[in-house]
C-alpha cells in the first residue's frame, strides 16, 4: 500500500492530500529515510511524522485497504 494512503486509512493523517503534501515536503520518514508518497509500506516499518512541535513515531502492525475508526488504531503502535 502506498505511504500516503496508509497514513490516511490508519488515520495518522486525516486527509490523503495532506499526507501526500507532507511526503513531498520531506516531513515523513520511514525507517530513518525520507520517503515519497509512492513508497510501499510493509509490516514492521517505523514511520516518523515531523509535523507540529514534536515528531511522532509509529510502527506498522497491519495493512488494510479499508478500516473503520475502531480498527484504524490496530494498524499501528505509537513508539
Amino acid at each position: 500500500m502506498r505511504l500516503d494512503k496508509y497514513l490516511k486509512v490508519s488515520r495518522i493523517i486525516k486527509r490523503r492530500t495532506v499526507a501526500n503534501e507532507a511526503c513531498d515536503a520531506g516531513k515523513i520518514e520511514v525507517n530513518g529515510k525520507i520517503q515519497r508518497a509512492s513508497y510501499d509500506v510493509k509490516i514492521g516499518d517505523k514511520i516518523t511524522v515531523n509535523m507540529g512541535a514534536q515528531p511522532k513515531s509509529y510502527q506498522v502492525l497491519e495493512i488494510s485497504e479499508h478500516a473503520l475508526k475502531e480498527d484504524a488504531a490496530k494498524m499501528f503502535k505509537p513508539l
Side-chain angles (χ1 to χ4, degrees):
M1 175 185 293
R2 288 174 52 101
L3 178 57
D4 58 343
K5 185 171 182 181
Y6 180 82
L7 292 170
K8 191 262 184 218
V9 171
S10 65
R11 292 174 170 76
I12 292 172
I13 296 179
K14 289 188 180 187
R15 292 185 198 92
R16 188 168 177 179
T17 54
V18 174
N20 199 320
E21 291 168 0
C23 290
D24 290 343
K27 296 184 178 188
I28 309 294
E29 296 178 12
V30 179
N31 300 326
K33 292 184 179 180
I34 294 174
Q35 294 293 347
R36 300 184 60 139
S38 60
Y39 174 81
D40 188 31
V41 176
K42 298 169 218 45
I43 293 175
D45 281 348
K46 179 186 170 199
I47 299 174
T48 304
V49 179
N50 295 310
M51 294 173 68
Q54 279 190 311
K56 297 182 180 175
S57 296
Y58 308 93
Q59 183 174 8
V60 178
L61 300 177
E62 182 182 321
I63 297 173
S64 175
E65 290 292 322
H66 305 284
L68 299 174
K69 187 175 183 180
E70 301 81 31
D71 298 333
K74 298 175 187 171
M75 293 179 67
F76 62 88
K77 172 177 74 172
L79 298 175

